[in-house]
Amino acid sequence: MTVREVPLREKSIVFIGFMGVGKTTIGKLVAKKLYRDFIDIDQVIEEEYGAPTSEIFKQIGEKAFRAKEKEVITKLSKKKLSVLSLGGGAFLQEDIREACTKNCIVFFLDLSWEYWKDRISLIIDSRPVLQGRNIDEILELFNSRQEIYQYHHSRVKTDSQEAEEIADYIVDSLKVAWDIYEPR
Ligand SMILES: Nc1ncnc2c1ncn2[C@@H]1O[C@H](COP(=O)(O)OP(=O)(O)O)[C@@H](O)[C@H]1O
Ligand SMILES: O=C(O)C1=C[C@@H](OP(=O)(O)O)[C@@H](O)[C@H](O)C1
Ligand SMILES: [Mg+2]
């Protein structure tokens, strides 16, 4: 049996990057602009447990959360024509990196620390991984996570840009890539 490669235009788009860079916000906008389904992996897990992530971490612990994250992403990365926003820790797992880079087009949203640190107050209450860490420890985590985000197909620098502008740029760049690599 021959396995046919999924056309580039049909591959799902995946957003990765550190907590708070805008994966959920921008993923939703890109999905709308491309008329695709939007799937936020954290939301899928939260719906399954009927609780927010911070509560899931308290109840079952990070290890079990990561196992669920792997199960959900490896399954959903096989879907076509969707936009998936991952949690910032998902690419710590090799199986997730492999499934997403093989099946999907992976965009790394790259926000520098200078801009990122102004977002802490917006996200701290809902991100258990940040809680209990001081600013130096958060910076250390931010820096140490950068290597897992190098597994991407495209990197988008997002400093000082509005979410709408970033989403427009991503949609335009996708259309150019589709036309170049798989002209109709
Ligand atoms: N380009 C942007 N400029 C300013 N604020 C943004 C931008 N993108 C997202 N945000 C804000 O940052 C916070 C985190 O965004 P979110 O999409 O939840 O990030 P992630 O899914 O990467 O954790 C939200 O309050 C969101 O409104
Ligand atoms: O980076 C992480 O370890 C996490 C990121 C979160 O998602 P966002 O990146 O959307 O904030 C969420 O999956 C969970 O709180 C753990
Ligand atoms: Mg998110």
Side-chain angles (χ1 to χ4, degrees), residues 4 30-31 125 129 134 159 178 183:
R4 283 194 36 226
V30 168
D125 292 340
V129 175
N134 65 35
D159 288 358
W178 291 337

Side-chain angles (χ1 to χ4, degrees), residues 17-21 23-24 40-42 45 53-54 57 62 65-66 69 85-90 92 123 126-129 141 145 149:
F18 199 65
M19 284 164 270
V21 297
K23 302 179 293 297
T24 299
D40 186 78
I41 301 298
D42 286 328
I45 298 173
T53 309
S54 44
F57 266 61
E62 181 170 351
F65 173 86
R66 297 296 177 202
E69 194 174 38
S85 291
L86 271 46
L92 288 167
I123 63 170
S126 53
R127 273 45 171 209
V129 175
L141 180 70
R145 284 277 184 89
Y149 305 133

